[in-house]
Amino acid sequence: MKLTKNQQLVYEALKQAEMPQTAYNLLDGLRDEGLRAPPQIYRALDKLLELELVHRLESLNAFVACAHQHHNDGFSAFSICNDCGAVEEFNLPQVSEILSDWSSQKAFVAETTTIEVRGHCAKCART
Amino acid sequence: MKLTKNQQLVYEALKQAEMPQTAYNLLDGLRDEGLRAPPQIYRALDKLLELELVHRLESLNAFVACAHQHHNDGFSAFSICNDCGAVEEFNLPQVSEILSDWSSQKAFVAETTTIEVRGHCAKCART
DNA sequence: ACGAATTGTGTTATGTTATTACATATGCTA
DNA sequence: TAGCATATGTAATAACATAACACAATTCGT
C-alpha cells in the first residue's frame, strides 16, 4: 500500500466513475471525506499520473483511471464520444513505433504522448 | 478574402508568432488593434479552427497557425519541446490510417484527432 | 532511537483559461 | 427592403490550475 489517504480517495473515485472526471468534480465528490481545496486534488492527481495509475485527457481537462493494469510506456490512446462522453482507452503498438521512429529520426526525446480521437461512439452515431 | 477583421488580426498574429500563443497572449498583442475582451479572440479562433487555418494544442491551451497550406484531414501531429517551447507540425499518413482502421472497426465516427508528443527537441536535448 | 531530509497535508489567495448573456451592427439574399 | 444569419463589443462569471506558507507524517542514515 504505497498510496496516501488523499491519493487513494482520488484514485478510488476515478475508478468508480465510469466517466472522465474533472478535478473539481472529484473535489465535490470528496468533500465529505475531508477534501476541501483544489491543491489537495491536484497533488493527488499529480502523483497518480506519475505512477501511471491515471491518465489526463487534455482535450477535456479531465482524468480517468488507467484501464490497463500493466503500465504501458505512456502510449495510450483514447476515443472520446462528444455526445455521451464515453471514453475508451486503447493501445496501438504500431502507432507507438511510428512515433518513436519519427522522434529518433528528428533527435526528439519523447517523454509523453497524447493521442485523443474525438467523435461519436457507435451507440451515439447510430441514432 | 473570406476572413473578417478580427479573424484576420488573430490569424496574422498567429502566423507572425514563431511560438504557440494562448488566447490571452493574442489578446494582449491585439489590444492596440481594438480587441479588448476574450470572446473576441475565442470567436475568431473558433472560426479559424473550423477553417483549419489554425490548430489548437490541447496540452498547452495554445494555438498555432497551420504549417501546411493544403489542409490535411485534421490528422496533424505535433512535437512540443518542454524546454524551449518549439513546436513542429508533421503528418504521418500511416498513423492516420491505423487510427481510421481502429475507428471503423469500433464503429466510432472520428471527427478530430489530437496527437501531441512532448519531450525535448534536438537542440535542447543536446545540452 | 534520533535528527535531518523528504514527502504529504491543509488553507488562503490568486492566476489563467474559457464561456454566458445580452445589446448592437453588418452583410447577404429573397 | 425586410428578414435572417453572422459578426461584434462588453461586462460578468464560470471553470481550471497554481503559488505560497505553515505544519504533520514518513523515511532513512547513523
Side-chain angles (χ1 to χ4, degrees), chain B residues 68-92:
Chain B
H68 313 305
Q69 271 61 3
H70 44 296
H71 86 13
N72 31 35
D73 12 354
F75 268 118
S76 298
F78 299 88
S79 67
I80 302 170
C81 178
N82 289 337
D83 300 321
C84 69
V87 168
E88 183 167 350
E89 180 178 351
F90 59 100
N91 254 298
L92 297 173

Side-chain angles (χ1 to χ4, degrees), chain A residues 38-50:
Chain A
Q40 297 177 287
I41 301 294
Y42 282 105
R43 290 193 284 229
L45 287 170
D46 285 347
K47 192 64 181 178
L48 294 168
L49 287 168
E50 189 186 317

Side-chain angles (χ1 to χ4, degrees), chain B residues 4-82:
Chain B
T4 66
K5 184 182 130 243
N6 289 0
Q7 289 159 13
Q8 268 181 292
L9 287 170
V10 169
Y11 186 41
E12 290 304 324
L14 276 177
K15 283 200 290 191
Q16 233 98 85
E18 71 290 10
M19 301 278 286
Q21 299 291 306
T22 67
Y24 282 78
N25 287 161
L26 291 165
L27 181 54
D28 285 347
L30 292 171
R31 237 177 263 276
D32 293 346
E33 318 290 336
L35 298 204
R36 283 164 228 285
Q40 297 176 288
I41 302 293
Y42 282 106
R43 288 193 285 231
L45 286 170
D46 285 347
K47 192 66 182 175
L48 294 168
L49 287 168
E50 189 186 316
L51 298 173
E52 299 207 66
L53 295 173
V54 152
H55 296 286
R56 178 186 170 84
L57 300 175
E58 299 288 354
S59 68
L60 248 35
N61 296 322
F63 303 84
V64 288
C66 179
H68 313 305
Q69 271 61 3
H70 44 296
H71 86 13
N72 31 35
D73 12 354
F75 268 118
S76 298
F78 299 88
S79 67
I80 302 170
C81 178
N82 289 337

Side-chain angles (χ1 to χ4, degrees), chain A residues 24 39 42 56 61:
Chain A
Y24 281 76
Y42 282 105
R56 178 186 170 85
N61 295 324

Side-chain angles (χ1 to χ4, degrees), chain A residues 13-58:
Chain A
L14 276 177
K15 283 200 292 190
Q16 232 98 85
E18 72 289 11
M19 302 277 287
Q21 300 291 306
T22 68
Y24 281 76
N25 286 162
L26 291 165
L27 181 54
D28 285 347
L30 293 172
R31 239 178 262 277
D32 293 345
E33 319 290 335
L35 298 204
R36 282 163 229 285
Q40 297 177 287
I41 301 294
Y42 282 105
R43 290 193 284 229
L45 287 170
D46 285 347
K47 192 64 181 178
L48 294 168
L49 287 168
E50 189 186 317
L51 298 174
E52 299 207 66
L53 294 174
V54 152
H55 296 287
R56 178 186 170 85
L57 299 175
E58 298 288 355

Side-chain angles (χ1 to χ4, degrees), chain A residues 67-108:
Chain A
H68 313 306
Q69 271 61 4
H70 44 295
H71 85 12
N72 31 36
D73 11 354
F75 266 113
S76 297
F78 300 88
S79 66
I80 301 170
C81 178
N82 289 337
D83 301 320
C84 69
V87 168
E88 183 167 351
E89 180 178 351
F90 59 100
N91 254 297
L92 296 174
Q94 285 181 80
V95 170
S96 311
E97 208 177 312
I98 294 170
L99 288 173
S100 292
D101 288 352
W102 184 90
S103 293
S104 48
Q105 196 199 307
K106 291 282 185 176
F108 186 93

